[in-house]
C-alpha cells in the first residue's frame, strides 16, 4: 500500500517564513516601545520641583520627581505625560525624546490666594505648612446634621466617622491619626478667629470657607490644643447694599442597604425538621423583627438668612432647623439654631468691631442600646420569628424563661430616653490699625452648655420591674476666653516680606457640674419622666452629684515669617 504524502509547496514555506519574521519584528517593536524615559521638572527660574507628579495620561501609572526634580518612567513613544505640582499649571507633555526638560508655569490665581492661618492671613505662595481650603461652593450638599459631613471626602487625610447611632448622632473627625495630647482625637475648631468653638453652633448654610491645618508648622501656633490638627471656619458676612433674604432646604431618605440575612420562621422550621430538632417556643407565627423595628429614615434641613449693611456696618442673621427620624423606630433628633453677626468700622475705618451671638437647642431621643441582650439593635436579630409581636390582649409578647431575651418592640415603646443640649455663645472682636502694617487685635468669648438627660421604663417594661422608673440628670459647662495679639506685615523693596505676630491668651473652663436622681413606683405611665417627684419609692442614695472639673490655660505665643520674592521662606 502506498502511503499518501502531503508536501508543503514552496510558496507555503515562503509564506510561513514571512509570517515568522513579521512576528519577530512586531515583537521587537512591542518590546522596544516601552522605553525608559528620563526627565527634569523645573520652574521658570530653573529651580527643580521636588515631588512633582508625572503620570501617563489615561492611566494611574506614574512617578514623582526626586529632590533634584529628576524622574524616570517606562512609557511608549508617542504617549503623553501629565505633569502637575501644587501652585503650578498642569502640563501635558508628548513623549518624543528619551529625555524631557519640563518647565511648569506658576498658577498666579492659586498662589495669590489669601488663606486663613492661626491669628492672621497669608498668601498661599508664602506658606510653608500644609493647609487645605474648601470654599462653600465645593462643600457637600444635603440634609446634613453637623458641619463635619460637609467636609467628608474633600480634604486629604481628614476622616469623618459616622456616629454609630442610627438616629444620627454627632459625627467625629480625625485629622492627624489617633495620637493625642489632650485626651481627644478631635481637631481644634476655630470659628471666625475664636478657638475652641463648638462646631454645632454653626449652621452648615452659614459657612463661607473652611481651612484645614494639618502639619506641625501650620498648627504650632495653637500649642498642645492643636495636637490633632486645626479646622478654621470662616462664616458668611453681610455686604453693602439692601437686605438680602436667602432660603435653602434639603430633604433625604435613608434605609438599611445591606442588612443581615436572617432565617425566616418557615426556614427555621424546615431546618429543625431536617435535623430532628424540637422548637419548644413555636407559636405558629412568622414575624420579621427587622421589618417591625426598622423604617425608612427621613431628614430635612431648612436655613433662612438675612444679610445686608451700609458703608461702615454689615450684618448677617440666620435661623436653621434640622430634623431627622432614624432608620430605627423611636430614635431621631432635631436641632434649632439661631445666629447673628454684626460688624462695624469707626475712626476712619481704623477700628473694626464685631459682635456675634449664637444659640441652639438639640433634642435627641433613643432606645436602649445596653449589653446582655438589652439592645434593640441586637434583639431584632436574636428574637425568635416563631412568636408574635403582641399577645391577644394587646400586651407585648414576652418569654422571660430565656435569659437575655427581650421583645425589641417592647424596648422601643416601653424603655425610652431623651437628651437635650442647650448651647449659648457670645463673641466680641476688635481690630485697631495703629500704623501702616501694624494691627492690634482682641478676642472675647463666653460659652455655656446645659445638658439634660431623662429616661423612663414603664409598667410594661421587660427590663425593669418597678411599676415605672425614671432617671433625670443635668450638667452645665462654662467656658471663657480672652486673647490679645498684634500683627505686623510689611513688604520692603517689593521682594522682602516680613510678618510678625505676638499674643497672649487666657481661657478658663468649668465642666461637668450637675446632679441627678432616680425614682420608681408610679401610679400609671401618664407622666413618664415629667414629674419625678410623684415617685413612691427612691433608691437608698437617690440623688447623686457631678463634680465640677475646672481647667485654666494661660499662653504666650509668637510667629515670625520672612519671604524673599515668595521663593525662599523662613
Amino acid at each position: 500500500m502506498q502511503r499518501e504524502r502531503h508536501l508543503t509547496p514552496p510558496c507555503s514555506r515562503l509564506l510561513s517564513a514571512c509570517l515568522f519574521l513579521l512576528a519577530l519584528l512586531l515583537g521587537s517593536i512591542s518590546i522596544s516601545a516601552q522605553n525608559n524615559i528620563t526627565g527634569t521638572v523645573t520652574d521658570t527660574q530653573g529651580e527643580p520641583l521636588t515631588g512633582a507628579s508625572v503620570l501617563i495620561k489615561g492611566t494611574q501609572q506614574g512617578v514623582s520627581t526626586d529632590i533634584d526634580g529628576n524622574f524616570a518612567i517606562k512609557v511608549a513613544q508617542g504617549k503623553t505625560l501629565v505633569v502637575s505640582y501644587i501652585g503650578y499649571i498642569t502640563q501635558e507633555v508628548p513623549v518624543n525624546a528619551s529625555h524631557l526638560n519640563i518647565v511648569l508655569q506658576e498658577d498666579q490665581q492659586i498662589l495669590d490666594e489669601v488663606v486663613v492661618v492661626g491669628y492672621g492671613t497669608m498668601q498661599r505662595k508664602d506658606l510653608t505648612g500644609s493647609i487645605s481650603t474648601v470654599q462653600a461652593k465645593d462643600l457637600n450638599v444635603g440634609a446634613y446634621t453637623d458641619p463635619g459631613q460637609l467636609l467628608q471626602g474633600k480634604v486629604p487625610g481628614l476622616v469623618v466617622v459616622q456616629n454609630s447611632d442610627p438616629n444620627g448622632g454627632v459625627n467625629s473627625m480625625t485629622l492627624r491619626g489617633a495620637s493625642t495630647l489632650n485626651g481627644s482625637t478631635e481637631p481644634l475648631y476655630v470659628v471666625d478667629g475664636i478657638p475652641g468653638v463648638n462646631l454645632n453652633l454653626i449652621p452648615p448654610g452659614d459657612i463661607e470657607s473652611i481651612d484645614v491645618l494639618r502639619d506641625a508648622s501650620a498648627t504650632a501656633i495653637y500649642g498642645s490644643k492643636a495636637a490633632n490638627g486645626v479646622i478654621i471656619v470662616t462664616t458668611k458676612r453681610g455686604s453693602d447694599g439692601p437686605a438680602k433674604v436667602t432660603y435653602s432646604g434639603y430633604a433625604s431618605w435613608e434605609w438599611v442597604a445591606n442588612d443581615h440575612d436572617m432565617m425566616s420562621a418557615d426556614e427555621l422550621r424546615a431546618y429543625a425538621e431536617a435535623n430532628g430538632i424540637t422548637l419548644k417556643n413555636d407559636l405558629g407565627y412568622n414575624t420579621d423583627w427587622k421589618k417591625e423595628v426598622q423604617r425608612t429614615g427621613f431628614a430635612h434641613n431648612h436655613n433662612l438668612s438675612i444679610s445686608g449693611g451700609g458703608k461702615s456696618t454689615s450684618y448677617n442673621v440666620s435661623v436653621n432647623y434640622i430634623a431627622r427620624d432614624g432608620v430605627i423606630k423611636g430614635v431621631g433628633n432635631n436641632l434649632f439654631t439661631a445666629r447673628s453677626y454684626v460688624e462695624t468700622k469707626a475712626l476712619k475705618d481704623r477700628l473694626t468691631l464685631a459682635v456675634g451671638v449664637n444659640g441652639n437647642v438639640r433634642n435627641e431621643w433613643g432606645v436602649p442600646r445596653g449589653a446582655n441582650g438589652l439592645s434593640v439593635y441586637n434583639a431584632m436579630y436574636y428574637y425568635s420569628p416563631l412568636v408574635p409581636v403582641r399577645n391577644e390582649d394587646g400586651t407585648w409578647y414576652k418569654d422571660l424563661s430565656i435569659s437575655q431575651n427581650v421583645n425589641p418592640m417592647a424596648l422601643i415603646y416601653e424603655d425610652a430616653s431623651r437628651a437635650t443640649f442647650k448651647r449659648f455663645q457670645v463673641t466680641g472682636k476688635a481690630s485697631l490699625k495703629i500704623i501702616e502694617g501694624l494691627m492690634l487685635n482682641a478676642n472675647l468669648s463666653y460659652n455655656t452648655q446645659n445638658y439634660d438627660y431623662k429616661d423612663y421604663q414603664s409598667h410594661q417594661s421587660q427590663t425593669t420591674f418597678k411599676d415605672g422608673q425614671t432617671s433625670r440628670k443635668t450638667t452645665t459647662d462654662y467656658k471663657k476666653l480672652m486673647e490679645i495679639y498684634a500683627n505686623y506685615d510689611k513688604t520692603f523693596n517689593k521682594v522682602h516680606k516680613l510678618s510678625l505676630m505676638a499674643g497672649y491668651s487666657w481661657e478658663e473652663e468649668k465642666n461637668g457640674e450637675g446632679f441627678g436622681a432616680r425614682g420608681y413606683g408610679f401610679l400609671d405611665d401618664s407622666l413618664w419622666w415629667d414629674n419625678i417627684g410623684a415617685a413612691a419609692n427612691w433608691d437608698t442614695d437617690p440623688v447623686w452629684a457631678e463634680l465640677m472639673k475646672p481647667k485654666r490655660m494661660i499662653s504666650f505665643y509668637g510667629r515670625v515669617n520672612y519671604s524673599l520674592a515668595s521663593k525662599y521662606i523662613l
Side-chain angles (χ1 to χ4, degrees):
M1 176 183 292
Q2 279 189 326
R3 179 175 297 176
E4 185 177 359
R5 301 178 63 188
H6 295 277
L7 300 177
T8 303
C11 60
S12 298
R13 291 197 298 270
L14 179 61
L15 179 61
S16 299
C18 291
L19 291 174
F20 178 73
L21 292 174
L22 181 60
L24 289 178
L25 179 61
L26 291 175
S28 63
I29 292 176
S30 176
I31 293 172
S32 62
Q34 293 293 327
N35 296 324
N36 190 23
I37 303 299
T38 61
T40 303
V41 181
T42 61
D43 62 11
T44 54
Q45 303 298 320
E47 295 292 331
L49 297 179
T50 303
S53 172
V54 182
L55 291 175
I56 301 174
K57 185 177 181 180
T59 73
Q60 297 298 319
Q61 302 175 20
V63 296
S64 297
T65 57
D66 61 17
I67 193 172
D68 297 317
N70 299 320
F71 70 90
I73 187 172
K74 288 187 176 181
V75 60
Q77 290 285 336
K79 293 288 187 178
T80 301
L81 297 179
V82 179
V83 185
S84 61
Y85 190 73
I86 296 175
Y88 290 78
I89 300 174
T90 299
Q91 284 194 28
E92 294 188 1
V93 181
V95 179
N96 51 21
S98 60
H99 184 83
L100 303 173
N101 291 312
I102 303 170
V103 179
L104 295 184
Q105 303 290 328
E106 293 182 349
D107 190 340
Q108 289 298 325
Q109 183 175 358
I110 294 178
L111 293 177
D112 292 339
E113 179 185 24
V114 176
V115 297
V116 179
V117 296
Y119 304 105
T121 59
M122 294 181 67
Q123 285 186 304
R124 189 174 293 277
K125 60 185 176 183
D126 294 327
L127 292 174
T128 58
S130 176
I131 299 180
S132 299
T133 301
V134 184
Q135 300 295 332
K137 62 182 178 63
D138 300 319
L139 296 171
N140 294 323
V141 176
Y144 296 126
T145 56
D146 70 89
Q149 294 169 297
L150 301 175
L151 284 173
Q152 195 158 18
K154 297 295 183 180
V155 178
L158 178 65
V159 179
V160 181
V161 181
Q162 176 70 45
N163 188 283
S164 61
D165 190 345
N167 75 347
V170 178
N171 299 325
S172 63
M173 287 190 282
T174 303
L175 187 57
R176 296 178 61 183
S179 60
T180 176
L181 292 176
N182 55 14
S184 170
T185 59
E186 286 279 307
L188 173 68
Y189 300 111
V190 180
V191 178
D192 293 331
I194 307 294
V197 176
N198 191 311
L199 207 57
N200 290 287
L201 281 167
I202 309 301
D206 278 4
I207 294 177
E208 180 67 30
S209 66
I210 298 178
D211 295 276
V212 181
L213 285 59
R214 292 196 297 271
D215 64 7
S217 63
T219 62
I221 195 65
Y222 290 106
S224 61
K225 297 182 295 185
N228 301 312
V230 179
I231 293 180
I232 300 178
V233 178
T234 301
T235 60
K236 294 178 180 178
R237 301 285 195 274
S239 57
D240 188 7
K244 180 181 179 182
V245 180
T246 304
Y247 168 80
S248 62
Y250 304 96
S252 66
W253 288 262
E254 301 174 315
W255 57 88
V256 179
N258 188 19
D259 209 343
H260 296 292
D261 188 13
M262 308 298 293
M263 273 188 177
S264 67
D266 292 337
E267 291 172 335
L268 183 57
R269 292 184 183 103
Y271 177 83
E273 182 179 355
N275 291 274
I277 300 174
T278 301
L279 299 174
K280 297 181 180 180
N281 66 337
D282 190 354
L283 301 183
Y285 288 85
N286 191 349
T287 303
D288 186 345
W289 291 104
K290 293 186 297 181
K291 186 176 180 180
E292 295 290 337
V293 170
Q294 296 176 7
R295 64 184 176 187
T296 298
F298 176 66
H300 52 105
N301 183 345
H302 309 272
N303 191 83
L304 178 65
S305 65
I306 303 175
S307 62
K311 183 177 180 181
S312 60
T313 303
S314 63
Y315 63 89
N316 186 81
V317 180
S318 68
V319 291
N320 178 258
Y321 180 73
I322 302 173
R324 181 174 184 175
D325 294 323
V327 295
I328 302 297
K329 293 178 181 178
V331 297
N333 63 61
N334 60 42
L335 174 66
F336 177 80
T337 303
R339 180 178 178 274
S340 64
Y341 189 88
V342 180
E343 185 176 279
T344 187
K345 296 180 182 296
L347 301 179
K348 297 182 179 180
D349 293 344
R350 300 181 70 89
L351 175 64
T352 301
L353 300 174
V355 176
V357 179
N358 310 324
N360 70 18
V361 179
R362 179 185 178 93
N363 296 302
E364 299 179 356
W365 48 94
V367 295
R369 302 175 62 195
N372 301 322
L374 303 183
S375 169
V376 172
Y377 312 113
N378 293 334
M380 65 178 176
Y381 297 118
Y382 73 65
Y383 213 65
S384 173
L386 308 175
V387 300
V389 176
R390 292 181 181 269
N391 299 314
E392 293 183 357
D393 60 0
T395 59
W396 302 108
Y397 173 83
K398 61 183 178 181
D399 184 357
L400 301 182
S401 65
I402 304 175
S403 63
Q404 301 183 10
N405 186 64
V406 184
N407 186 326
M409 297 301 288
L411 286 173
I412 290 174
Y413 291 102
E414 308 301 337
D415 299 73
S417 64
R418 180 169 180 167
T420 300
F421 298 85
K422 297 178 181 178
R423 302 181 178 94
F424 179 76
Q425 182 190 44
V426 179
T427 62
K429 299 181 64 177
S431 297
L432 177 62
K433 183 179 179 181
I434 300 176
I435 58 174
E436 188 65 32
L438 179 60
M439 298 290 295
L440 181 63
N441 309 278
N443 292 335
L444 298 173
S445 174
Y446 177 81
N447 190 9
T448 180
Q449 173 179 291
N450 176 262
Y451 169 71
D452 181 69
Y453 173 83
K454 46 198 172 187
D455 60 36
Y456 186 78
Q457 294 81 43
S458 75
H459 288 69
Q460 302 300 321
S461 171
Q462 298 183 12
T463 64
T464 303
F465 307 96
K466 294 185 177 182
D467 293 330
Q469 175 178 282
T470 184
S471 300
R472 298 289 299 265
K473 177 183 178 180
T474 182
T475 60
T476 303
D477 301 333
Y478 303 93
K479 184 174 182 179
K480 303 174 185 177
L481 171 72
M482 180 188 70
E483 293 183 319
I484 299 175
Y485 62 97
N487 296 95
Y488 180 72
D489 295 283
K490 190 72 173 179
T491 301
F492 303 94
N493 297 328
K494 298 183 180 181
V495 294
H496 302 280
K497 290 185 180 180
L498 179 64
S499 177
L500 305 175
M501 191 276 293
Y504 164 81
S505 175
W506 176 93
E507 59 182 297
E508 181 182 69
E509 296 182 18
K510 295 180 180 180
N511 299 323
E513 182 182 15
F515 60 91
R518 178 183 293 116
Y520 56 92
F522 293 86
L523 293 176
D524 53 39
D525 297 323
S526 59
L527 296 177
W528 277 62
W529 47 55
D530 287 334
N531 193 350
I532 191 173
N537 301 291
W538 301 83
D539 286 347
T540 304
D541 187 9
V543 179
W544 62 90
E546 298 283 346
L547 294 177
M548 183 180 66
K549 297 176 282 293
K551 181 174 68 174
R552 182 176 295 174
M553 181 179 295
I554 298 175
S555 306
F556 294 92
Y557 46 85
R559 178 177 60 219
V560 178
N561 289 96
Y562 170 74
S563 171
L564 175 59
S566 296
K567 187 170 292 294
Y568 303 99
I569 302 172
L570 297 176

